[in-house]
């Protein structure tokens, strides 16, 4: 009961699950969504499903990609730490997209040690974006 009441009371203010991003898109908004696949707190599946709902609501894969991009980051957790490479330059990517019209096809990332030290420039890897998110196979 308390959960339902809080959703009703605060959903309009802090809800993040509405796939209708038309007002945002219509005002020229661009968004980069990225999620660590090793996130132990929030499943990446939720972000994938949300992005799929956005695609359905906003006219499909190509139309959605004009203003929203999803990047799935292997090997990193909720704080973008872990064995995987951490995304870098996300702010710069969105600025380029907004100001120059260059939508990101990939995000750069780097590998750091446990203390946060970079292994150097030769440890940068591209994180490719997903266009159509593949459907999950059902276990038999």
């Amino acid at each position: 009961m308390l959960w339902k009441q809080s959703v009703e009371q605060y959903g309009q203010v802090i809800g993040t699950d509405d796939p209708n991003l038309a007002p945002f898109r219509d005002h020229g908004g661009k968004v980069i969504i990225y999620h660590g696949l090793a996130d132990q707190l929030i499943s990446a599946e939720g972000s994938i499903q949300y992005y799929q709902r956005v695609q359905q609501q906003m006219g499909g894969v190509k139309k959605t990609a004009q203003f929203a991009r999803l990047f799935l980051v292997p090997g990193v957790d909720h704080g973008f730490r872990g064995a995987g490479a951490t995304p870098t330059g996300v702010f710069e990517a969105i600025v380029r997209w907004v100001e120059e019209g260059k939508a990101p096809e990939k995000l750069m990332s780097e590998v750091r040690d446990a203390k946060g030290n970079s292994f150097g420039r030769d440890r940068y890897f591209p994180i490719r974006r997903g266009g159509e998110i593949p459907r999950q196979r059902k276990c038999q």
Side-chain angles (χ1 to χ4, degrees):
M1 174 153 169
L2 186 59
W3 172 258
K4 185 177 179 181
Q5 180 184 353
S6 68
V7 169
E8 289 174 5
Q9 188 172 354
Y10 300 109
Q12 288 287 82
V13 178
I14 61 173
T16 59
D17 63 342
D18 185 355
N20 181 6
L21 300 180
F24 175 77
R25 177 203 59 207
D26 294 347
H27 281 91
K30 308 287 188 207
V31 63
I32 294 174
I33 303 166
Y34 58 106
H35 199 121
L37 290 174
D39 191 328
Q40 72 280 33
L41 301 177
I42 301 172
S43 170
E45 186 63 29
S47 291
I48 293 168
Q49 289 175 4
Y50 172 72
Y51 192 70
Q52 289 171 330
R53 290 194 323 271
V54 170
Q55 289 175 326
Q56 291 169 353
Q57 177 81 31
M58 303 308 299
V61 173
K62 289 183 181 179
K63 287 187 178 182
T64 301
Q66 293 173 358
F67 73 95
R69 300 284 171 107
L70 172 65
F71 295 87
L72 300 174
V73 188
V76 295
D77 63 18
H78 192 74
F80 288 95
R81 301 271 186 235
T86 302
T88 60
V90 179
F91 179 74
E92 292 81 359
I94 197 110
V95 168
R96 253 188 324 278
W97 193 7
V98 170
E99 295 182 357
E100 301 172 22
K102 296 178 182 176
E105 293 297 325
K106 63 184 178 182
L107 293 178
M108 294 309 292
S109 61
E110 66 179 337
V111 177
R112 293 183 174 264
D113 65 19
K115 293 181 181 178
N117 299 314
S118 176
F119 285 117
R121 291 182 164 254
D122 60 338
R123 299 291 182 181
Y124 286 82
F125 303 99
I127 299 169
R128 305 279 178 201
R129 78 176 179 89
E132 278 196 61
I133 307 298
R135 294 177 188 241
Q136 293 227 330
R137 295 183 190 149
K138 291 186 179 180
C139 295
Q140 305 235 348

